[in-house]
Amino acid sequence: MKTIHTNDAPAAVGPYSQAIQAGNTLYLSGQIAINPVEGKIVAATIEEQAEQCCRNIEAVLAAAGTDMNAVVKTTCFLADIADFKAFNEVYARHFVSKPARSCVAVKDLPAGALCEVEALAVLE
């Protein structure tokens, strides 16, 4: 196993890694909209937060030597299911390969986030 870390994505806020590579599979931890420069969530809307989540995922993937096209599965968490349509609009711009996905509403997310996205990628 290999731990993946980049300063271009937020540092883990607990006892976990940004991603772990096991063989040719990359397991990305969930990303919330923490701006890695500010070290906190600065985005206010679901669209802005979804955009930051995707940028964070792109940064972790780049650190592993790959990109969004390698993602085969995502799990998305929304603080409010009413944000589903707006979230999807941002998500679709980043995940153009249309990986398999689950998307659920949850009671709360860390740091008051409106969304969180985790991903599974296959490395070539």
Side-chain angles (χ1 to χ4, degrees):
M1 289 192 319
K2 177 181 175 186
T3 300
I4 306 297
H5 175 79
T6 178
N7 291 330
D8 294 329
V13 295
Y16 60 90
S17 302
Q18 290 173 331
I20 295 288
Q21 180 180 342
N24 70 337
T25 305
L26 187 65
Y27 300 88
L28 284 79
S29 294
Q31 288 290 327
I32 59 175
I34 294 176
N35 178 303
V37 174
E38 302 284 333
K40 63 183 179 180
I41 295 174
V42 294
T45 67
I46 186 63
E47 293 89 353
E48 293 168 339
Q49 288 200 18
E51 183 69 35
Q52 185 66 59
C53 288
C54 291
R55 284 196 305 258
N56 292 345
I57 289 170
E58 288 168 343
V60 175
L61 289 166
T66 193
D67 60 27
M68 296 292 256
N69 290 319
V71 175
V72 295
K73 171 73 167 80
T74 64
T75 305
C76 306
F77 306 93
L78 303 176
D80 186 345
I81 200 66
D83 289 333
F84 186 77
K85 183 179 183 224
F87 173 83
N88 273 343
E89 289 174 8
V90 175
Y91 178 96
R93 288 195 303 267
H94 290 273
F95 291 96
V96 295
S97 63
K98 298 183 180 179
R101 182 181 94 170
S102 299
C103 186
V104 297
V106 296
K107 184 177 179 194
D108 288 310
L109 290 166
L114 300 177
C115 57
E116 179 172 356
V117 180
E118 65 180 32
L120 177 66
V122 175
L123 306 174
E124 305 261 344

